[in-house]
Amino acid sequence: MEQAKALNALEPFLALCKSATSPRAAADLITRATSAPNTYIFAELLQQSQIQALSQHPEFASHLTLLQIFSYGTYQSYHDTPNLPPLSDPQTLKLRQLSLLTLVRDRSNLSYGPLQKALGLTSSRQLEELVITAIYAGLLHATLDPARQAVQVNSVAPLRDLPPGSIQDMIAALSNWSDQCTSTLGDLDAQIRNIRAAAAIREKEKRAAEQRTKSLISEPRDLDKKKDLPERDVLSRRGYNKRSMVDPTNVTGDETMDVDESATVEEQKQRSSKRKM
């Protein structure tokens, strides 16, 4: 949203650029564009041929440098560059706001002291007012922490142009990062394969150990069974012999019992006949 708003604010100056046929008109257009509210992105204006032609005119080349600083430089780089046009109050505020967007991207540089120095401010009050204007302009989402003398930044609007050559640097950085990721993933895959192989070996050894343990546990039982078999055979043979020795006696006893019973019956019959007489 902030980018669209900034591009819409720049559109009138892009249209006027076609009629800026003289170096002075092009330089004046730069001053007006950098002073206007809501203009924070200047890459398209910087690419216009009328603006680039200022580099061929020593009197107005400094205006081209000024536009480059507004596009991707900082308030500190403005003061480090000699012979630049003086800034109006709106230009000074805008360049400080844009510089703040660049500075707060370094999360280790959010204390009041370094920010004041980089932005050319003399007090914490001035810094807090600048941060508040940037927040209300939608340039960043942040909170002030006066007790800790620091700015807590949540997000920064993408309203800074890329300096020349930065795209190639970004491509190189991303390519290097991609190579590192590929190498790291390859190392991880190798480690995973080694871990799986070691786990398979441990599982195989565990199963072999369990099998050996089962074999050792079952061996005594087999030996006991083998020992019991001869004893059971002996006992069975002994029992058979005893029964063989006892059986004839049992037969004789049965016959004796039959004779005794017959004698008793005869005696009872004789007694019964005597009583009748």
Side-chain angles (χ1 to χ4, degrees):
M1 181 181 294
E2 292 83 2
Q3 281 185 326
K5 186 177 179 181
L7 290 173
N8 291 334
L10 189 65
E11 283 294 332
F13 301 100
L14 293 175
L16 290 172
C17 191
K18 297 178 181 179
S19 60
T21 56
S22 67
R24 185 176 296 276
D28 181 64
L29 185 62
I30 289 173
T31 301
R32 293 168 60 187
T34 54
S35 302
N38 301 323
T39 54
Y40 297 103
I41 299 176
F42 304 98
E44 289 191 46
L45 182 61
L46 192 60
Q47 294 171 0
Q48 300 301 312
S49 58
Q50 295 87 339
I51 302 299
Q52 288 295 320
L54 293 176
S55 62
Q56 307 299 322
H57 302 274
E59 183 181 357
F60 300 103
S62 60
H63 285 77
L64 176 60
T65 304
L66 180 65
L67 183 60
Q68 291 171 342
I69 291 174
F70 269 86
S71 183
Y72 48 78
T74 62
Y75 188 84
Q76 186 65 47
S77 62
Y78 170 81
H79 281 279
D80 292 341
T81 305
N83 302 322
L84 293 179
L87 298 176
S88 64
D89 289 342
Q91 284 178 312
T92 300
L93 174 62
K94 181 174 293 185
L95 185 56
R96 280 174 169 159
Q97 289 175 334
L98 291 171
S99 301
L100 182 64
L101 298 184
T102 299
L103 293 170
V104 297
R105 285 189 171 93
D106 182 5
R107 297 305 174 94
S108 64
N109 190 31
L110 297 180
S111 58
Y112 281 15
L115 290 176
Q116 287 176 214
K117 183 179 179 180
L119 297 170
L121 301 174
T122 58
S123 67
S124 300
R125 178 70 176 177
Q126 290 178 333
L127 176 62
E128 291 172 350
E129 289 177 353
L130 177 65
V131 173
I132 290 172
T133 61
I135 292 172
Y136 278 107
L139 304 181
L140 75 158
H141 296 281
T143 56
L144 296 169
D145 189 353
R148 297 174 54 192
Q149 292 285 288
V151 181
Q152 296 180 355
V153 179
N154 298 322
S155 63
V156 180
L159 293 176
R160 298 248 60 190
D161 297 316
L162 297 174
S166 60
I167 294 179
Q168 295 300 323
D169 293 339
M170 290 176 62
I171 292 174
L174 290 173
S175 178
N176 184 41
W177 176 77
S178 177
D179 293 340
Q180 291 179 352
C181 290
T182 302
S183 176
T184 301
L185 289 174
D187 294 340
L188 289 174
D189 288 338
Q191 292 180 9
I192 290 171
R193 288 194 297 269
N194 292 335
I195 291 171
R196 287 177 176 174
I201 293 172
R202 288 196 301 270
E203 183 65 20
K204 184 177 180 181
E205 292 176 348
K206 180 181 177 182
R207 291 180 180 178
E210 290 177 351
Q211 188 64 33
R212 287 195 299 270
T213 303
K214 289 179 180 179
S215 300
L216 292 173
I217 293 173
S218 61
E219 282 179 1
R221 294 179 179 177
D222 294 340
L223 292 174
D224 291 340
K225 290 179 179 178
K226 292 179 181 178
K227 291 179 180 179
D228 289 342
L229 287 175
E231 294 179 358
R232 291 177 182 175
D233 292 340
V234 172
L235 291 175
S236 61
R237 287 196 297 271
R238 289 179 180 176
Y240 176 76
N241 293 335
K242 288 181 179 179
R243 285 194 297 273
S244 299
M245 293 172 65
V246 171
D247 285 342
T249 306
N250 290 337
V251 173
T252 306
D254 292 339
E255 293 177 353
T256 305
M257 288 176 65
D258 292 339
V259 174
D260 293 339
E261 288 178 357
S262 298
T264 304
V265 172
E266 290 294 332
E267 291 177 357
Q268 288 179 354
K269 286 181 178 181
Q270 293 176 0
R271 289 175 185 172
S272 175
S273 61
K274 288 179 179 181
R275 288 175 185 170
K276 289 178 180 181
M277 291 175 63

